[in-house]
Amino acid sequence: MRVLGIILAGGNNNKMDQLVEKRAVAAMPIAGSFRSIDFALSSMTNSGIQKVAILTQYNARSLNEHLSSSKWWDFGRKKGGLYVFTPTITNENSHWYRGTADAIYQNLTYLKNSHEPYVVIAAGDGIYKLDYNKVLEYHIEKKADITVVCKEMQPEWDDLTRFGIVKTDDENRIISLEEKPKVVTSHLVSTGIYILRRRQLIELVEEAVEKGGYNLVTDILIDAVQSRRVYSYKMDSYWSNMSTVQAYYKTNMDFLNKDIRDYFYREYPSIYSKIDDLPPAKFNGGAVVKNSLISSGCIINGNVTDSVLFKKVFVGNNCTIKNSIILNDVYIGDNTYIENCIVESRDTIRPNSNYTASEGTIKVVVEKNERYTQ
Amino acid sequence: MIRKEMIAMLLAGGQGSRLGVLTSKLAKPAVPFGGKYKIIDFPLSNCINSGIDTVGVLTQYQPLRLNRHIGIGIPWDLDRNIGGVTVLPPYETSNNSEWYTGTANAVYQNYEYMEYYNPEYVLILSGDHIYKMDYEVMLEYHKQKNADITIATIQVPMEDAKRYGIVITDKTERIVDFEEKPEQPRSNKASMGIYIFKWKVLKEALSSMSKQTACDFGKHIIPYCFKSGKRIYSYSYNGYWKDVGTLESYWKANMELIDLVPEFNLYEEFWKIYTKSDIIPPQYISSDAKVARSIVGEGTEVRGTVYNSVIGVGVIIEEGCEIRDSIIMSHTVIKKGSKINKAIIAENCTIGEQVEIGFLEEIDNLVAPHIYNSGLATIGEFSVIPDKVKIGKNIAISGITEPDDYVNGVLESGETLIKAGEK
């Protein structure tokens, strides 16, 4: 195989509020049955990449649990495999990862001992399907030093200042890259997916870290735009990144749209995830469900409208859930009303509760009540 | 090598002919159950939950689907370095080649598999019952009684006892007599077809009886051991155990899963049932849909009405459909405006638009009333039903049917429509 994968899953993100207190963004549950890292991992295995390293440090328990076996993505191979790298103390180094470039630097041995000529670097928080082979072909054809996968965004909805903004010439060569600029001058954003030669990456990272630069974008990529051939590969299919609560909410709600749902759930190739062995969802007598996604293990007794229910959610009698996202293993007691909320996983909502956010806003509900179930 | 105290031999070669068109292309243990499962998932999950990690699965009738389902045993954590799950089909030898002619004959033909592990005990299971059982507890009992053979038994209503193999025990639960489907049963303890043997005892019995044609555990091996004075005990099991050997019992057992608190609860944490999940995404229930009193599998899209039904994974139920009291298995598509009442529709079927199934007046099945009865309409896998036809009760359909197959667009109750040759 010609390509090696690196997934940057280390990040915390303070725009995600309480949702990332429990887990890294890469481990965020998404679209009912998945975690966000599944999309990068599945795209890698579907592109024939056999060797993948995941660099992680922030609150990795959830992520490690999710990655406890590599077999779900078919990485349990003799050749290659799935490697999870967390910071370790060595004679030379006792730092946490000081940035994305430093994370790669601290694991350079992995890169140096590999034989694959190219590396795909992907973020763990993107929701997309991508054939990295196509990006590689493009990279070779353009004789690029680095290829950045970019996406044209719709500025009406999203706040583009949270992205890296890219400008290109007519040949798609990147002429400027601004990380989280104050004023947005282009709608083309970097998806955080890069392809470059392995040797080049080693060189760039060594150079940057020795100069005290620890960030892949600000200390390497932005300089490289000036000094090297950096190209943009434009992605036309769905891509979403969940770096804010609003973006997270919208990304989940996107799956209520038939085209997006069919694209991810039914069209080839599939997205894989850890199997939880839950029974099918059960709808009891009082269940009234409209325009919603329901995952396995759910038991529903009440009303659910325009919502996404993750796995193993219990909805009590006479409840109403509207425009909301209920994460894994939530118990909702009888007569509860929830509107415009994201309910954190493993919450227990007492009977007769009311959680409502006004339209256009989203409330994150974290309730650690004692659970008494039959 | 890690020594195995007990290994299991799971008999999965049977056709289950009383399930009619459901088993025309697959073995009974591979028949779907409860939306996402297959019948064999229950004994396989019981094995791993009981700590048994070496299971030989004996296949014979239409094994492809079963093989694909079991694979190397990943879903049940039976992918092991030593042991794990092994599919054991009949094979050819230099001097003798035969199919599995009976349950014990099948096990005997895999003598070397058992001898390789050389366990203390061998557990014999059949792949066609729905139940949860801790075989480890049964083994404890077996040891405590110092038994040579322990037979799991269940108390059945006295009037049903004549349909089973009945055991008669003394006060210590030692079996003192057997009756096979007795007219006048002396006990209501029915054998569940689950046996623990001391390997030495099983080895000796299988060898001595090796010339017996169609050698069967219930008919030959157990009576042989009984006559030679072996200590045979009954282990009373009092949980849920369902034989789903007929279409009616199969349908009922599925419907029981829908109850508010079902007797057989799949939602318990401590005794999970594992299966190969090929579909991961959630299901979608549209704005036009009504779903109540039902269980629905992953990846299914419901745009119509579903009431009192068991729906598999990856099913599509389009606008205006009404599904009642039915089992719709995985990957089946039901097109707009179809009405389905008390039907069993197997995997990968396509039901056209505005089809009505199960509404005409009930008439007994003309060909096989012992199979197709209870008012059920049964449609085999990969069947296609054209638009706007009406289909009655106690019917069976299999294959790709055309409008011409339906006289005036109707298949009357009691008819059987099998289109051979198609996939």
Side-chain angles (χ1 to χ4, degrees), chain A residues 31-34 71-72 255-258 261-262 264-266 271-299 301 306 309 311-312 374, chain B residues 34-37 74-75 77 79 257-262 266-267 269 272-275 277 280-301 303 307 311 314-316:
Chain A
S33 313
F34 298 94
K71 60 185 157 195
W72 313 122
F255 283 81
L256 293 178
N257 174 326
K258 186 171 184 346
R261 195 167 63 240
D262 285 352
F264 282 105
Y265 291 175
R266 287 181 185 267
I271 304 296
Y272 316 104
S273 190
K274 185 180 165 212
I275 304 288
D276 272 342
D277 297 294
L278 291 164
K282 186 158 184 263
F283 299 78
N284 286 332
V288 180
V289 181
K290 303 280 174 198
N291 189 38
S292 296
L293 285 171
I294 311 292
S295 306
S296 50
C298 286
I299 299 180
N301 296 290
D306 303 326
L309 269 56
K311 294 184 227 182
K312 237 185 125 192
Q374 57 276 44
Chain B
K36 68 184 286 191
Y37 304 99
I74 287 177
D77 234 354
D79 50 327
L257 296 172
I258 298 164
D259 295 343
L260 195 58
V261 181
L266 293 167
Y267 295 81
E269 277 294 303
K272 267 194 181 177
I273 303 300
Y274 303 98
T275 188
S277 307
I280 300 166
Q283 54 187 276
Y284 176 73
I285 312 291
S286 85
S287 306
D288 312 320
K290 289 192 190 107
V291 184
R293 282 192 52 78
S294 295
I295 62 175
V296 182
E298 286 98 331
T300 286
E301 299 240 354
R303 300 174 176 279
Y307 189 78
I311 314 291
V315 172
I316 296 177

Side-chain angles (χ1 to χ4, degrees), chain A residues 15 28 31 113-114 118-119 131 198 262 283 308 317-318 349:
Chain A
K15 287 185 186 155
M28 279 305 290
N113 290 349
S114 297
Y118 295 96
V119 179
D131 184 350
R198 182 173 54 88
D262 285 352
F283 299 78
V308 178
N317 294 313
N318 223 355
I349 308 286

Side-chain angles (χ1 to χ4, degrees), chain A residues 35-48:
Chain A
R35 301 265 177 176
S36 69
I37 200 169
D38 290 334
F39 293 81
L41 279 173
S42 301
S43 288
M44 286 192 179
T45 195
N46 288 333
S47 304

